[in-house]
Amino acid sequence: MTLLILGLLLAVTPGLSAQLKPETVKEFNAYMADAESQMQARASGAKPFLWSASDNARWNRLRTEGVLVAPTYESPSRDVQGGLVHDWTGAIFIPGAKAEQALRILQDVDNHKRIYAPDTVDSRMISRTGNEFRSSMRTYKKKVLAAILDYEFHTVYTQLAAGRWRGAIRSTRIVEVEDYGTPRERQKPEGQGMGYLWRLNSWWHVEERDGGVVMELRSISLTRDIPFGLSWAIKPMVTSLPRETLESNLGKTRTAVLALSDQGAPR
């Protein structure tokens, strides 16, 4: 949750809500179109498929540390009208694992509430046709105030070659939940609330190499902007949260794939 630090602000300024505006969506969509073009070039072979292996120092660090996360560009966020775009890329290397084991974990949506607990409190496959599916998820995070979000996603995984896969995940609906866990629990209208998260789109790149499997995740999210006069104090904390979330999710993915590999699953 990329704007949970706003809980600190909301605690002293009750009722400070945000609304997703058409101009914000337009600028985010333009950003995504550029990102789509870049990622398509990687899938087609016009650019290196793996971000982590496109630089020797980066690759050596990944092989040594197992997990690597960095802003996709020099700045981890970009201002748009009424919002902030956050763009991060991370990678994990799992020795001895295979791409099919990685895909099994990524596509096991009904079990994600356990793999990615405690932040993910519910996950469910809505429908599936082959490697294309629709799913839902609920997350819960608390920093001063609790942020509960319900999501729906459209996901497509494509095999590009033996041991190489690409996944495209797009949020189709994100709403905030109020009065969580009470008889009054309800979803707020889409695009209304505190603006913790309005869009969450990502790509998985999975490839077998060097006796293991590399799993990369590029995550682009859209949140509300920072109220005027408070950016200097809040923005550095806001932009660090996507990194923390990405690192946590990659670490839990690595643990799950390792466990599957250790069980001697078919390779």
Side-chain angles (χ1 to χ4, degrees):
M1 253 38 67
T2 52
L3 269 184
L4 288 175
I5 198 65
L6 275 176
L8 297 173
L9 173 63
L10 296 171
V12 298
T13 315
L16 184 60
S17 61
Q19 184 167 351
L20 180 59
K21 298 179 173 61
E23 55 267 29
T24 310
V25 175
K26 182 178 180 180
E27 289 196 33
F28 178 76
N29 288 343
Y31 188 98
M32 278 298 302
D34 183 62
E36 290 274 11
S37 178
Q38 297 168 19
M39 300 304 285
Q40 184 56 40
R42 290 172 56 182
S44 68
K47 291 186 177 181
F49 181 68
L50 291 178
W51 161 81
S52 58
S54 64
D55 178 88
N56 286 335
R58 189 184 294 147
W59 175 246
N60 290 334
R61 183 179 170 192
L62 176 63
R63 289 293 308 274
T64 300
E65 300 179 9
V67 180
L68 183 64
V69 175
T72 302
Y73 300 109
E74 184 176 350
S75 174
S77 66
R78 178 179 297 184
D79 291 290
V80 294
Q81 293 186 65
L84 280 172
V85 177
H86 310 266
D87 191 347
W88 288 81
T89 300
I92 50 179
F93 177 70
I94 310 170
K98 296 293 184 180
E100 63 191 74
Q101 295 167 335
L103 264 291
R104 189 180 303 184
I105 294 300
L106 295 180
Q107 295 185 354
D108 189 11
V109 172
D110 289 331
N111 201 36
H112 284 180
K113 55 183 166 287
R114 289 178 284 274
I115 294 172
Y116 299 105
D119 290 350
T120 299
V121 297
D122 193 25
S123 60
R124 182 172 63 90
M125 185 75 76
I126 298 173
S127 64
R128 178 171 184 171
T129 304
N131 291 311
E132 179 176 0
F133 48 86
R134 297 184 181 277
S135 61
S136 66
M137 179 176 72
R138 171 171 286 189
T139 60
Y140 177 96
K141 190 84 172 182
K142 187 171 184 179
K143 281 194 175 183
V144 181
L145 296 180
I148 302 92
L149 299 178
D150 282 347
Y151 312 70
E152 291 183 6
F153 295 101
H154 174 241
T155 301
V156 179
Y157 285 98
T158 306
Q159 185 170 21
L160 303 175
R164 175 183 285 188
W165 287 79
R166 175 183 190 259
I169 303 97
R170 301 291 175 265
S171 61
T172 57
R173 185 171 182 265
I174 300 178
V175 295
E176 298 176 17
V177 178
E178 63 182 3
D179 295 324
Y180 172 64
T182 75
R184 299 184 305 278
E185 179 181 306
R186 71 177 186 91
Q187 294 180 339
K188 294 183 179 180
E190 191 172 2
Q192 296 183 24
M194 292 301 123
Y196 296 123
L197 187 63
W198 285 323
R199 297 287 189 276
L200 179 60
N201 299 331
S202 56
W203 295 265
W204 278 104
H205 279 190
V206 177
E207 184 175 58
E208 293 177 14
R209 61 180 296 155
D210 291 12
V213 67
V214 179
M215 301 178 68
E216 290 187 354
L217 179 61
R218 181 179 178 183
S219 178
I220 301 177
S221 56
L222 174 67
T223 68
R224 67 170 294 165
D225 58 353
I226 307 300
F228 180 75
L230 295 168
S231 180
W232 67 272
I234 296 176
K235 193 170 183 178
M237 294 181 283
V238 168
T239 54
S240 71
L241 286 168
R243 178 189 184 111
E244 295 170 8
T245 301
L246 187 56
E247 285 179 337
S248 174
N249 288 342
L250 285 171
K252 290 172 182 177
T253 301
R254 190 172 190 270
T255 297
V257 175
L258 276 171
L260 187 60
S261 179
D262 290 343
Q263 291 170 10
R267 300 189 176 190

